[in-house]
Amino acid sequence: MIKEKDGEERYKFFSHRDCEYFPCHKTSDDSSFNCLFCYCPLYTLGDRCGGHFTYIKGIKDCSKCLVPHGRKAYDYILKRFEDLSEMARKD
């Protein structure tokens, strides 16, 4: 694991403040908004994603979810990678 002088693992956090949609979800702290997972890789897990979502007319709505946009999102999503890879596995 590569760490910066200040101990940060910068590959785990990216804030794209120049994006015309920044922040794409309502938040009380723009400085901690992580854009690394602009499109959540956990969406496909449906109701097992662990995020804060609702279904509107059968379609998953994640507009109020900040799980992939937090400072610790990288670690959480990597922990769920096994679930994602299981979905793609061919028997």
Side-chain angles (χ1 to χ4, degrees):
M1 177 174 358
I2 300 170
K3 289 190 177 186
E4 298 292 325
K5 291 179 193 174
D6 59 7
E8 287 289 317
E9 297 165 320
R10 300 206 192 287
Y11 62 93
K12 293 183 176 184
F13 183 85
F14 170 71
S15 189
H16 186 22
R17 294 182 167 279
D18 292 333
C19 176
E20 59 270 26
Y21 300 106
F22 183 85
C24 60
H25 295 273
K26 195 173 199 170
T27 178
S28 61
D29 184 9
D30 290 354
S31 66
S32 292
F33 195 86
N34 191 352
C35 302
L36 185 62
F37 298 109
C38 180
Y39 291 96
C40 183
L42 303 179
Y43 180 87
T44 191
L45 292 175
D47 60 3
R48 298 182 308 127
C49 69
H52 310 290
F53 62 90
T54 58
Y55 281 99
I56 298 174
K57 296 182 181 178
I59 297 172
K60 189 175 175 184
D61 175 13
C62 306
S63 60
K64 295 181 179 156
C65 182
L66 292 172
V67 169
H69 300 298
R71 285 208 173 263
K72 301 196 187 274
Y74 183 91
D75 294 327
Y76 178 74
I77 288 175
L78 253 54
K79 285 179 186 174
R80 302 299 310 275
F81 188 76
E82 189 173 330
D83 297 328
L84 292 167
S85 62
E86 186 64 35
M87 291 180 72
R89 185 165 304 176
K90 184 177 180 180
D91 292 327

